[in-house]
Structure formats: C-alpha cells, structure tokens
Amino acid sequence: VYNAENTIHETLNSIVQQTYKNLDIVILDNASTDNTIGIIAKFDDSRIRIHRNAINIGGEKNFNLCIQFAKGKYTAIFHADDVYEPEMIELQVAFLEENIKVAAVFTEATLIDESGKNIGKIKTPKELRLPCRLFNFEIIFKTLLRNSNFFICPSVMVRTEVYQQDMRCWRWEMFGSSADLDMWLRIVQRYFIGIIP
C-alpha cells in the first residue's frame, strides 16, 4: 500500500471478510504520507500486522518484501485499490489443495472505476476455457502471444515455497511494469498453473 486512503478501507474490508478465515494479513506500507495507516489502524482484527517502510522503495521492491514476510502455505499479494470477491481465497486454496502439481492459481476479474462501477471484465481466453484448468508453459506462452497479457496480477495465489525458494524476487530493473508477467512466465516454465473463473 502507498497513499491509498481513498481505497484501503474497502480493499482491506474485502480481505478480512473473506469466507476463508485462516489468514495472516501483512500490510507493507511503502512510506505513505496520507491517512492510510490511520484507516488501517481502525480495523480490530488480530490477523493484521503492519510493516512500514522508512522510505518509498517502489512497488516491485515492496512486492519482494511481501515474499520475505510471507509465512503461510500460500501467498497472495493484494493491491490497495482492488476489491476481492468474498469466496476468492477459499476457492483458490481449495484449488491448490486439490492440485498439488500446480504452483499458482489465477482468477478472472471485473474492472471497476474509481467509484466502484463495473466497466468491463477480463476473461480467460477461449482456448483456455477447458474442463481441465491446469496449464503448462507452451500453451500459456502461445495464448499470451495471441491475446496479450490476460493475467490479473492481484488475483494470483502462489505456493509460498515457490515464491521464496524458486522465484525470490520481481525483476523490475529488467522488465519495469512488466515484471509481473515475467514472474508468471518464470513460474509456468517450472510448474503447472491454474486459472479459475
């Protein structure tokens, strides 16, 4: 989170209200200068921990801290201006529990504007809408070339050991704002991934 006083309450509320309750919620504040921390402090939830960076280290370096701070079996790096469907975590955990060869699971998304109005959807490309929702590098890479990037960065849940032991960091210095796609391609080069509606 960085200077998200206009969105952080709704975002954090959508996380604490998840149907899946066994959560460790770590907020990595990237040296906010607005009332972001004051809004977060009003949440009375023992699952919430706050880490404040002394200086703003940029988005991708803050993502790297998210990987370092992760403790659970699975890690999802959520953004401070997104709202999460109530069953999202429950469905993703169930998918990963049922598919032990899968390293990460993505979802589709509804796009909203600054007032929360629905303005569109990001759907799985039609060639990936299959009964089996497990995919390898070859099919994902070909589908990306045909459709551009359809991965929703704040929708992914990854096995923590994959983040911490194999991926380790976002390579923002090499890829800039495409560092997230680089991360997903590195994961799918080694493991299967899943995509759920």
Side-chain angles (χ1 to χ4, degrees):
V1 61
Y2 173 69
N3 283 356
E5 66 182 5
N6 293 329
T7 60
I8 190 62
H9 183 273
E10 188 175 6
T11 296
L12 188 52
N13 193 53
S14 75
I15 295 170
V16 300
Q17 298 290 329
Q18 288 288 309
T19 56
Y20 187 87
K21 300 298 183 189
N22 185 21
L23 302 177
D24 181 33
I25 304 168
V26 183
I27 297 171
L28 287 135
D29 178 69
N30 210 357
S32 291
T33 57
D34 64 0
N35 191 36
T36 295
I37 292 298
I39 294 167
I40 294 167
K42 292 180 180 176
F43 280 83
D44 182 20
D45 193 313
S46 62
R47 299 173 297 175
I48 296 174
R49 292 184 291 132
I50 302 173
H51 170 82
R52 297 191 74 185
N53 297 335
I55 60 169
N56 187 305
I57 59 174
E60 285 76 15
K61 283 187 178 180
N62 211 35
F63 291 169
N64 292 340
L65 282 182
C66 293
I67 292 173
Q68 293 173 25
F69 275 76
K71 289 184 177 180
K73 188 174 181 181
Y74 308 116
T75 297
I77 300 175
F78 292 147
H79 297 170
D81 61 351
D82 294 319
V83 180
Y84 300 92
E85 297 288 344
E87 295 180 342
M88 181 172 162
I89 293 175
E90 182 178 354
L91 294 170
Q92 289 181 300
V93 168
F95 186 90
L96 290 168
E97 289 287 305
E98 292 168 13
N99 297 281
I100 60 172
K101 292 183 178 180
V102 172
V105 60
F106 295 79
T107 71
E108 298 174 321
T110 300
L111 301 173
I112 57 174
D113 65 15
E114 62 276 358
S115 64
K117 179 183 172 188
N118 292 355
I119 57 171
K121 295 199 179 291
I122 299 179
K123 304 289 278 180
T124 305
K126 61 183 177 182
E127 56 263 51
L128 299 183
R129 290 186 217 146
L130 307 168
C132 175
R133 296 194 160 269
L134 309 183
F135 305 103
N136 63 18
F137 179 81
E138 183 178 357
I139 190 168
I140 290 296
F141 193 69
K142 287 179 180 178
T143 306
L144 284 165
L145 291 175
R146 284 192 291 265
N147 296 278
S148 76
N149 186 4
F150 53 86
F151 287 121
I152 316 303
C153 182
S155 85
V156 66
M157 180 177 283
V158 178
R159 293 184 190 276
T160 302
E161 65 183 6
V162 170
Y163 264 151
Q164 292 179 339
Q165 295 172 17
D166 297 332
M167 301 300 114
R168 298 198 176 141
C169 66
W170 262 258
R171 300 189 302 190
W172 60 273
E173 68 286 351
M174 294 171 65
F175 297 102
S177 63
S178 293
D180 58 336
L181 182 57
D182 167 63
M183 175 67 78
W184 317 143
L185 289 173
R186 283 190 288 145
I187 290 172
V188 77
Q189 280 181 312
R190 294 187 183 199
Y191 304 97
F192 286 102
I193 64 165
I195 305 172
I196 58 176

